[in-house]
Amino acid sequence: MTLALTTNPYAGYTYGYPHKTAYRRLDPPAELAPLWATEDRSNLFGYVHLPFCEMRCGFCNLFTTANPHDDLVGRYLEALEREARATAEIIHPATPARYAIGGGTPTYLPPAELARLLEVFPRVFGRAVAEVPTSIETSPATATPERTTLLADAGVRRISIGIQSMDLAEVHRIGRRQRDDEVRGALDTLRTLGPPVLNIDLMYGLPDQTPDTWLATLREALRWHPEEVFAYPLYVRPLTGLDHVGASPTDMRPELYRLGRDLLLAEGYEQTSMRRFRRRGIEEVDDEYACQSDGMVGLGCGARSYTRELHYSREYAVGRRGVKAIIDDYVNLTDADLRVARHGFRLDADERMRRFVLQSLLHIDGLDVEACRATTGADPETLPLDRLVADGLATRTAGRVQLTPDGLALSDAIGPMLYSARVTDLSRDHDLR
Ligand code: SF4
């Protein structure tokens, strides 16, 4: 019997490995300067996390909090700049080769504070956002003309807006306050004043969503000709608003996925992963970064950093109290604290290999088996790649394993199959707060 017939296609949202729920207190803590000294820093990703939003959506388990006190936002930006300075010294003479500003909703910041944040990059790292590929996230309520112009003028190349659905009843059912005029106004603003690349995040499997409403959402969103569309299946995850009210996704997710994919392909988009669709013929904003092997420096709580042998971050929480406690700790960290990792996950060769396989296989380009072996020092053939091929979910040609369309559709079931027992156990036993 095939994997397709035996497995729940929505086992878990797979986008990185290992998930932060597998991170634990590091004993002893890791000094960051010696850790980074031996890393290849030639192609670093710089990620900045702003854990603030104007609302807390019912499906969201990202590290963020709604409507914090102004004082906390100001103190957070101060701590972020101190962490950026410490990081710049630690990775010197390297600087990030690209930036992403996410959250949360970075454009929750008032324009003056957003400008202040953008100025940190050239002042601390010596590279302005205009000098490297830079992407930022926004929301309908905060993508105002003033902020959008500021971002475009600063040279941000890609902006991503979470809309989820153009059907107001549907978005309200997932705990998202969103107004029609606000959504359309924001999309008009982003298209006329914003950075050159627009991504729209949409979601399928919402309670009571139907094929007609899902397709109507997609068609409506395409009126703004986004360069990219991310289509996410709904998951109800622990401690989220939807979890509290016992909501569940519609069981039509596989059908909605296929309908959405087919419509996007017919409308001139190409699929690069289960969720990502890119308009044919446009240039990649950043096609140099190899997520399987290049490092990442994260700034702010909620941000992860990746070296070859250690992934680290601040602690992770979803509930309001847990998130607030972690942000309070962060803004009070001393400069010495910012040079030490206390929470993370150590990767041996087997874990590095699993990560490489996951990041490659779930992308349309697939897995280069030999490159994986050479980069990680472990053999990817110990994973059930042959079973994927036998089940018709992958093909194997000239040393490369690539998911078929059926395999891509099952990415969220295939991902967890590739986790180690250690990661599975740690994530299951994580005490979420
Ligand atoms: S989905 Fe986006 S806007 Fe909603 S709470 Fe999460 S980060 Fe904030």
Side-chain angles (χ1 to χ4, degrees):
M1 188 167 296
T2 68
L3 179 75
L5 295 176
T6 56
T7 308
N8 168 14
Y10 298 102
Y13 175 25
T14 307
Y15 61 94
Y17 181 81
H19 189 263
K20 270 194 277 190
T21 47
Y23 291 16
R24 289 293 184 274
R25 190 170 178 77
L26 296 170
D27 191 14
E31 291 287 338
L32 296 181
L35 177 72
W36 279 101
T38 53
E39 288 290 310
D40 176 1
R41 286 161 284 160
S42 57
N43 204 21
L44 285 178
F45 199 114
Y47 174 71
V48 179
H49 193 86
L50 271 300
F52 308 119
C53 293
E54 82 273 11
M55 59 186 160
R56 181 61 155 163
C57 305
F59 58 87
C60 179
N61 72 344
L62 298 175
F63 185 89
T64 189
T65 190
N67 298 309
H69 293 302
D70 289 352
D71 175 51
L72 185 65
V73 177
R75 293 178 67 208
Y76 186 86
L77 289 176
E78 278 165 28
L80 200 60
E81 179 156 357
R82 284 194 295 118
E83 188 176 26
R85 286 189 189 289
T87 304
E89 285 173 24
I90 288 164
I91 63 172
H92 182 79
T95 57
R98 59 207 31 80
Y99 301 122
I101 308 168
T105 307
T107 50
Y108 175 82
L109 297 179
E113 287 184 320
L114 194 56
R116 176 179 155 199
L117 174 68
L118 296 177
E119 282 159 13
V120 169
F121 296 99
R123 194 166 60 238
V124 172
F125 292 113
R127 267 183 176 168
V129 298
E131 294 175 68
V132 296
T134 298
S135 141
I136 195 165
E137 292 165 17
T138 190
S139 70
T142 60
T144 59
E146 191 178 356
R147 289 185 181 95
T148 304
T149 304
L150 190 155
L151 293 170
D153 288 351
V156 170
R157 292 194 208 166
R158 175 182 182 274
I159 193 157
S160 174
I161 185 166
I163 301 283
Q164 317 314 345
S165 171
M166 301 297 259
D167 183 307
L168 278 193
E170 280 176 8
V171 275
H172 292 165
R173 277 197 289 272
I174 54 169
R176 193 174 158 90
R177 295 189 310 274
Q178 192 160 285
R179 293 199 333 258
D180 234 4
D181 57 331
E182 209 168 59
V183 169
R184 286 167 170 70
L187 288 169
D188 285 344
T189 299
L190 293 177
R191 234 10 341 176
T192 51
L193 303 174
V197 175
L198 171 65
N199 171 69
I200 301 181
D201 283 348
L202 300 171
M203 200 171 256
Y204 58 91
L206 310 185
D208 297 331
Q209 192 176 35
T210 67
D212 284 347
T213 61
W214 169 229
L215 291 175
T217 279
L218 279 165
R219 287 195 186 99
E220 181 70 6
L222 294 187
R223 286 183 43 222
W224 281 271
H225 304 291
E227 281 69 27
E228 295 174 8
V229 174
F230 270 77
Y232 293 93
L234 175 67
Y235 283 99
V236 176
R237 289 167 289 200
L239 297 192
T240 58
L242 291 184
D243 181 40
H244 284 311
V245 299
S248 42
T250 126
D251 56 8
M252 296 182 72
R253 283 176 297 180
E255 182 186 347
L256 297 176
Y257 166 79
R258 280 191 297 276
L259 287 169
R261 176 197 62 193
D262 293 350
L263 182 137
L264 287 164
L265 296 179
E267 291 292 331
Y269 287 77
E270 59 188 352
Q271 186 172 20
T272 65
S273 72
M274 178 186 177
R275 302 167 223 292
R276 181 171 180 250
F277 296 83
R278 188 184 58 165
R279 212 164 73 208
R280 271 188 217 106
I282 64 146
E283 267 182 55
E284 280 285 4
V285 173
D286 178 12
D287 56 4
E288 299 292 319
Y289 184 70
C291 62
Q292 300 95 330
S293 51
D294 289 335
M296 179 156 100
V297 280
L299 303 178
C301 11
R304 289 185 264 198
S305 297
Y306 302 146
T307 64
R308 238 174 90 74
E309 294 184 359
L310 179 69
H311 288 186
Y312 61 90
S313 71
R314 310 285 157 210
E315 284 184 66
Y316 172 62
V318 174
R320 188 174 175 88
R321 246 177 303 163
V323 171
K324 170 120 183 9
I326 293 168
I327 297 176
D328 282 343
D329 280 352
Y330 176 73
V331 299
N332 287 311
L333 289 177
T334 64
D335 288 355
D337 290 332
L338 292 166
R339 295 169 166 275
V340 177
R342 297 184 187 281
H343 191 75
F345 182 90
R346 293 191 189 280
L347 291 86
D348 58 16
D350 179 71
E351 297 291 12
R352 283 198 297 277
M353 177 273 288
R354 289 173 187 275
R355 176 167 191 261
F356 193 110
V357 171
L358 252 152
Q359 310 271 52
S360 308
L361 197 60
L362 302 187
H363 186 272
I364 198 89
D365 289 344
L367 169 70
D368 180 331
V369 173
E370 199 39 57
C372 177
R373 219 176 257 133
T375 306
T376 66
D379 184 5
E381 298 293 358
T382 56
L383 299 180
L385 303 176
D386 281 337
R387 182 176 164 201
L388 295 175
V389 174
D391 284 356
L393 301 176
T395 57
R396 194 190 273 273
T397 332
R400 187 171 285 274
V401 180
Q402 284 172 290
L403 293 184
T404 60
D406 284 350
L408 271 184
L410 289 174
S411 292
D412 282 354
I414 292 169
M417 271 175 54
L418 306 173
Y419 296 0
S420 67
R422 177 180 163 225
V423 164
T424 305
D425 291 350
L426 282 168
S427 289
R428 187 197 54 225
D429 297 343
H430 181 256
D431 195 11
L432 196 58
R433 57 173 170 146

